[in-house]
Amino acid sequence: MATFLSKLGRLAFRRKGVTLLLWLLVFVGMGVAASSAPAPPADTFSMPGTESQEAFDLLTEKFPDASVDGATARVVVRAPEGTKITTPATRTEVERLVTELGVSSPQVVGVADPYESPGVSISEDGTTAYTVVTYKVPAAEVDDEAHDALDAATEKAREAGLTVEAGGDAVKIEQAMGGTGEQIGILVSAFVLVLTFGSMIAAGMPLITALIGVGIGISGITALGSTFGLSGTTSTLAMMIGLAVGIDYALFIVSRFRAERVEGRTPEEAAGRAVGTAGSAVVFAGLTVIVALAGLAVVNIPMLTKMGLAAAGTVAVAVLVAITLVPALLGLAPVKVMARRGRLRYAVKPLSDRQRRRAARHEAKSARRTRPNLGTRWARYVLRHPVIVLLVGVIGLGTVAVPAASLELGLPGEGQMSTQTTQRKAYDLLSESFGPGFNGPLTITVQTMSADGAGAADGTGAADSTGAADSTGTASAGTPADARRTGDEIGKALARTPGVASVSPATANKAGDTAILTVVPTTGPTEKKTEELVHALRDTADDLERSTASRILVTGQTAMFIDFSQTLDDALLPYLALVVGLAFLLLMVVFRSVLVPLKAALGFLLSVAAALGAVVAVFQWGWLADVFGIDAPGPIMSTMPIFMIGVVFGLAMDYEVFLVSRMRESYAHGARPGEAVVDGFRYGGRVVGAAAVIMMSVFSGFIVEDNDFVKMIGFALAIAVLFDAFVVRMAIVPALFALLGRSAWWLPKWLDRILPRVDVEGEMLAGTQSAARSRQESTLVG
């Protein structure tokens, strides 16, 4: 591996023009393909194998005329203080609002009149009403004209003295990402890179190559979007992790190149050795990230699978960019990539007498000032006090992880939006006037069954018009049941379930074989009691199915969110086992050790647990809520743990591979275990620390956004990188190496014979270069 990559790095360095031209062609070609590709499909959400998805598919089949995919906006109106919504003057204004909503946009297909069903659409105290605006297109396709028309109609009603707010998926999201945080993160990253390298050229290379890699990856996703059903949001994870690993990988190789130049190697030799050693670490670190992202397929949610595979493809591009484009750029500036002070000593062209004297003075001054760097001093401290460092690190992270035992998962809703948004205001108005469960209704589908247990309707959804139901509400052989009557009977039974506030009358489809009814809980959509109610309704439905000869399913947005959270919860342990297991095997091959990958995996689990504990304490329990600007502490977003595991695992393995590979390299070349630890920190500690600070600054930028769930993602990733890089990799890992000594590199002989040798530490590379140098010297002598 090291020999092959070294040759590749030297080739890219020598043929820098050709390499740069090839990557430019790929970049432009992907951009052209993306710009000419059909528009990506709208976001689709499905959860195969869940009851909610089965019920949703049934509704799509049995109620084809219903606009199940159309967006909706629920406009809530409250009368002026001291008046009722039925007061003539107020009613006139509400009816005017309803009329304007109906004609506001060609995309609107209907607006419900609240006065036609006052018992449903008007609150008991008569102060609040709501109307539902239905659109003929999905939420992603509602255009700006429709959004503006909705805003104009509601604003006009406010000017008339009404309190008007709107919620629903047709309402424009007011919490759009501002981008300020990301810009700050990029600026901090650039500042850290300049401090790390002392060279603007060296600092710019990781940023430029990362942006090129992400650009190619995102363009590829866009170009293939219509072919593979990749929506616009599929690229979100790819962009985040592609930028993160792209900066890291280029940072590692540029840093190794500079270290090789300091040791006296020529620019081409330094480039080859940098790609052969650090590049090998990059390849295997990239493989672990790809495993983590592709492993999202085990969750069995198509949207997450596509996001994971798209991000994995972007990481693969980042690896290729690092091992080819980075050495080509180094070939363009082999001297300027070095620190500004002392560049003359690395000059390729012959120096003048004046330049030679300046270089000698600087070298003498540097020799007088040379002292162990911070990484070296820290490693020696840990070697002297391994037990104390280990206990402080483990106990500290364990304490922070305690709140993770109370983790509650949920999905974002309007109840978690900022209190300044119209969606949140509409949500609160409905909760106050109609009850907290009104914002999370459950939909019950009732499909009547024939005597043989099949659905009453045929494959087209049409029923046998000659059949009739008997007095029990069940169907005789081959005839459809009276779905409406059966649905009402089932509704009466479900209404007796604790936690149900109301049940609507059943509504049957045209075929008369399927009915739907709405159950309003007494609790809000994100509350634990609502989840318990969904499970109770499904248990009751199982009993009712036998007595009514029907198939009863519970769905609705609230039920789908609950099923989604349960699906992710069930997949969490298998996902962890797959990711950690495969990574364990990869790291065993890389480091020729059993204990090194074991402690890497256990350290990762510890840092993830601590990060989850911090997230629960801040976003679920509300600790420091004012500091982070959290309006409504509540359940943790269901997708956050899975995404955090994938992203943090990738970055953690980056730091582990790069830091420990230097230790392994030193140990393989004859250093004692303690000396190997010091060497690893001397050459890798500063780079890993800089990479971690960069990632923390990028992720922390999301914390300043308005959306609580965006804050949550940014906080979780930033705190996880902090724990893993600075506590696990830089404290716990060297402490364990100090305690284990040579045992850390133990590998059974039988396993050593089985595992392939990849030579990440560059042992074979050193021998190859020595032989080449000897042949060159012999030729010169001859």
Side-chain angles (χ1 to χ4, degrees), residues 17-27:
V18 175
T19 304
L20 293 172
L21 179 61
L22 289 175
W23 277 111
L24 179 62
L25 291 175
V26 172
F27 184 79

Side-chain angles (χ1 to χ4, degrees), residues 645-731:
I645 287 171
V647 175
V648 176
F649 181 81
L651 296 176
M653 293 304 104
D654 285 352
Y655 306 147
E656 175 76 14
V657 169
F658 190 76
L659 190 62
V660 179
S661 64
R662 292 304 298 254
M663 299 180 191
R664 172 68 186 176
E665 181 179 345
S666 179
Y667 181 77
H669 292 162
R672 293 193 301 272
E675 293 175 343
V677 172
V678 174
D679 287 342
F681 273 83
R682 177 184 297 118
Y683 297 111
R686 185 179 184 183
V687 178
V688 170
V693 171
I694 289 171
M695 291 304 100
M696 288 169 57
S697 64
V698 172
F699 294 142
S700 296
F702 293 105
I703 300 177
V704 304
E705 300 294 342
D706 291 333
N707 192 296
D708 282 354
F709 287 93
V710 174
K711 292 177 186 288
M712 185 186 301
I713 292 173
F715 176 83
L717 295 179
I719 201 74
V721 170
L722 171 66
F723 290 155
D724 196 272
F726 292 103
V727 180
V728 174
R729 307 301 154 194
M730 293 194 177

Side-chain angles (χ1 to χ4, degrees), residues 355-373:
Q355 289 175 325
R356 194 176 295 109
R357 287 194 297 271
R358 284 176 56 194
R361 286 198 301 272
H362 177 78
E363 195 164 339
K365 187 183 297 184
S366 299
R368 290 194 299 270
R369 294 180 177 178
T370 297
R371 63 171 184 167
N373 60 20

Side-chain angles (χ1 to χ4, degrees), residues 351-435:
L351 301 178
S352 65
D353 292 340
R354 181 180 179 184
Q355 289 175 325
R356 194 176 295 109
R357 287 194 297 271
R358 284 176 56 194
R361 286 198 301 272
H362 177 78
E363 195 164 339
K365 187 183 297 184
S366 299
R368 290 194 299 270
R369 294 180 177 178
T370 297
R371 63 171 184 167
N373 60 20
L374 179 61
T376 301
R377 297 196 299 274
W378 169 249
R380 289 172 178 171
Y381 175 83
V382 174
L383 291 175
R384 291 195 303 269
H385 310 284
V387 176
I388 295 176
V389 173
L390 181 63
L391 289 178
V392 170
V394 172
I395 293 175
L397 291 182
T399 302
V400 178
V402 170
S406 303
L407 176 68
E408 295 180 8
L409 298 178
L411 281 178
E414 294 177 348
Q416 281 72 49
M417 287 186 173
S418 169
T419 54
Q420 305 303 314
T421 61
T422 186
Q423 292 96 329
R424 175 61 183 277
K425 292 176 181 178
Y427 181 97
D428 292 340
L429 285 173
L430 290 172
S431 296
E432 294 170 7
S433 301
F434 295 90

Side-chain angles (χ1 to χ4, degrees), residues 351-654:
L351 301 178
S352 65
D353 292 340
R354 181 180 179 184
Q355 289 175 325
R356 194 176 295 109
R357 287 194 297 271
R358 284 176 56 194
R361 286 198 301 272
H362 177 78
E363 195 164 339
K365 187 183 297 184
S366 299
R368 290 194 299 270
R369 294 180 177 178
T370 297
R371 63 171 184 167
N373 60 20
L374 179 61
T376 301
R377 297 196 299 274
W378 169 249
R380 289 172 178 171
Y381 175 83
V382 174
L383 291 175
R384 291 195 303 269
H385 310 284
V387 176
I388 295 176
V389 173
L390 181 63
L391 289 178
V392 170
V394 172
I395 293 175
L397 291 182
T399 302
V400 178
V402 170
S406 303
L407 176 68
E408 295 180 8
L409 298 178
L411 281 178
E414 294 177 348
Q416 281 72 49
M417 287 186 173
S418 169
T419 54
Q420 305 303 314
T421 61
T422 186
Q423 292 96 329
R424 175 61 183 277
K425 292 176 181 178
Y427 181 97
D428 292 340
L429 285 173
L430 290 172
S431 296
E432 294 170 7
S433 301
F434 295 90
F438 194 81
N439 283 297
L442 304 172
T443 301
I444 311 296
T445 65
V446 179
Q447 182 186 21
T448 57
M449 312 297 287
S450 61
D452 60 1
D458 61 19
T460 64
D464 181 359
S465 60
T466 61
D470 60 22
S471 59
T472 64
T474 61
S476 56
T479 62
D482 184 348
R484 183 179 292 105
R485 183 170 57 186
T486 304
D488 286 336
E489 292 178 359
I490 291 172
K492 292 177 182 178
L494 296 179
R496 294 191 289 269
T497 306
V500 173
S502 64
V503 180
S504 71
T507 301
N509 64 342
K510 293 180 179 179
D513 63 345
T514 306
I516 58 174
L517 50 152
T518 301
V519 173
V520 177
T522 58
T523 51
T526 60
E527 295 184 39
K528 185 68 175 178
K529 290 185 178 180
T530 304
E531 180 181 349
E532 295 171 354
L533 173 62
V534 170
H535 295 313
L537 290 174
R538 286 173 173 168
D539 293 339
T540 304
D542 291 340
D543 298 332
L544 291 173
E545 285 180 348
R546 290 187 290 272
S547 62
T548 60
S550 58
R551 177 75 172 122
I552 306 172
L553 302 171
V554 181
T555 187
Q557 188 181 63
T558 299
M560 291 191 76
F561 281 5
I562 291 171
D563 287 347
F564 183 71
S565 297
Q566 187 63 48
T567 300
L568 290 175
D569 195 28
D570 293 341
L572 191 58
L573 288 180
Y575 176 70
L576 268 175
L578 174 68
V579 169
V580 174
L582 291 178
F584 181 87
L585 294 177
L586 281 174
L587 293 178
M588 190 184 299
V589 170
V590 173
F591 296 125
R592 319 297 300 177
S593 167
V594 173
L595 296 180
V596 169
L598 178 62
K599 68 175 181 55
L602 293 177
F604 160 73
L605 294 176
L606 183 60
S607 60
V608 165
L612 282 176
V615 170
V616 169
V618 173
F619 290 89
Q620 183 176 311
W621 292 357
W623 293 5
L624 302 177
D626 293 338
V627 175
F628 293 99
I630 302 167
D631 295 313
I636 304 303
M637 184 169 61
S638 300
T639 54
M640 198 277 296
I642 288 280
F643 280 154
M644 188 182 74
I645 287 171
V647 175
V648 176
F649 181 81
L651 296 176
M653 293 304 104
D654 285 352

